[in-house]
Amino acid sequence: MRDVTISKSEYDSKNEKMVYKMQDFQEDKELFRYCTLPEILKYVECFTGPNILAMHTMMINKPPDFGKKTTRHPFHQDLHYFPFRPSDRIVCAWTAMEHIDRNNGCLSVLPGTHKGPLQPHDYPQWEGGVNIMFHGIQNFKDYDARVHVEMEKGDTIFFHPLLIHGSGQNKTQGFRKAISCHFSSADGYYIDVKGTTQENIEKELQGIASRAYGLDDSVTMKDLWKFRARLVKGERTNL
Ligand SMILES: O=C(O)CCC(=O)C(=O)O
């Protein structure tokens, strides 16, 4: 995924500065090792139980901001992107790959919000533009309640998919690197998102699947996630 400001700049597409994040590294042997580390799985299993799937993998390379604040990530709940449940059996592990603070765009979270409902998400109306699929909670105002999560290299946080979180712009000249994986219990189930607040993200994903792979709109979020999921421990029971 490329940063919207940088992709409109003079950099060529192979320049490292273009890359905001790489997703779906589940077939890359070295990167996927992160999802199988006992130091990570020992905590993940407390949430998922013994049958564990890696659902969503990301290497996030937040680049230096080019003055348009497009390296910000709006406040959101990850469950908006997921058609699987139950939410209490899903957990994200997010590991800092270097010192991360407010200057290079650390995560900000709203403690306790994992106990609330999934809220409607859409693109924020940001003057400088917004990166593709960076949906945010509509009319978000709770900035005073946020806690900035400063971390050292190797620190890992584990969080619920309903926790409201986002990240700030990268004001430094370096990249802010982190690696993460959303894990789910394989014993969960898929939902049909039609008629829910998640319908907009399904339509957007269908558009991407059509442009990238020529798939028609009979492909659902469930199909896409079933394809991405990879077993890390136990048995692949339902998902
Ligand atoms: O790493 C970040 O800045 C935020 C990542 C995130 O929340 C996401 O991709 O859903």
Side-chain angles (χ1 to χ4, degrees):
M1 204 203 96
R2 292 170 194 176
D3 180 78
V4 62
T5 310
I6 304 171
S7 56
K8 287 183 187 150
S9 73
E10 76 278 14
Y11 286 103
D12 74 67
S13 62
K14 294 200 178 64
N15 190 300
E16 186 193 359
K17 282 202 158 71
M18 296 283 285
V19 181
Y20 195 114
K21 62 179 169 179
M22 281 189 317
Q23 305 200 87
D24 300 324
F25 58 65
Q26 60 277 47
E27 302 304 327
D28 183 281
K29 201 167 155 226
E30 183 56 19
L31 288 175
F32 193 71
R33 224 163 45 76
Y34 169 72
C35 308
T36 63
L37 292 174
E39 297 93 323
I40 297 283
L41 291 182
K42 125 175 135 180
Y43 296 104
V44 166
E45 194 164 351
C46 303
F47 300 93
T48 59
N51 298 323
I52 311 176
L53 288 174
M55 302 299 289
H56 183 215
T57 50
M58 284 190 292
M59 232 295 295
I60 309 154
N61 187 45
K62 193 192 275 280
D65 199 276
F66 270 60
K68 302 252 183 204
K69 300 188 183 168
T70 51
T71 57
R72 284 177 297 170
H73 200 129
F75 280 91
H76 65 283
Q77 295 164 300
D78 292 334
L79 197 69
H80 171 64
Y81 298 89
F82 302 154
F84 43 91
R85 302 287 189 274
S87 59
D88 285 346
R89 295 283 169 270
I90 303 169
V91 66
C92 178
W94 193 103
T95 301
M97 293 173 72
E98 59 196 312
H99 174 82
I100 294 181
D101 58 23
R102 289 190 72 178
N103 221 19
N104 59 3
C106 64
L107 287 180
S108 302
V109 302
L110 268 70
T113 47
H114 64 290
K115 294 179 186 156
L118 178 61
Q119 300 191 34
H121 287 61
D122 213 331
Y123 283 108
Q125 302 297 310
W126 285 349
E127 245 174 65
V130 189
N131 286 318
I132 187 161
M133 301 239 275
F134 275 29
H135 290 194
I137 291 176
Q138 292 299 280
N139 307 315
F140 182 82
K141 290 186 195 78
D142 290 336
Y143 291 102
D144 290 346
R146 78 201 141 139
V147 170
H148 301 287
V149 188
E150 302 203 333
M151 298 167 74
E152 295 304 331
K153 181 175 179 169
D155 284 352
T156 300
I157 56 168
F158 296 87
F159 60 94
H160 191 282
L162 281 167
L163 181 79
I164 297 176
H165 65 286
S167 64
Q169 62 172 304
N170 182 357
K171 297 179 192 148
T172 70
Q173 289 311 304
F175 294 86
R176 190 230 65 188
K177 291 193 196 317
I179 187 165
S180 85
C181 179
H182 286 91
F183 297 91
S184 172
S185 163
D187 306 331
Y189 55 91
Y190 286 102
I191 59 158
D192 183 352
V193 301
K194 280 187 194 64
T196 74
T197 57
Q198 293 175 261
E199 200 166 351
N200 59 350
I201 188 70
E202 181 169 71
K203 288 219 168 79
E204 192 167 340
L205 284 167
Q206 284 168 338
I208 294 170
S210 157
R211 288 192 296 281
Y213 306 109
L215 300 176
D216 65 29
D217 63 8
S218 63
V219 68
T220 61
M221 257 165 93
K222 171 183 168 181
D223 298 326
L224 297 170
W225 283 103
K226 246 187 141 156
F227 179 70
R228 295 164 121 173
R230 192 169 157 194
L231 190 68
V232 288
K233 198 167 175 193
E235 267 181 77
R236 187 160 182 176
T237 46
N238 297 341
L239 290 191

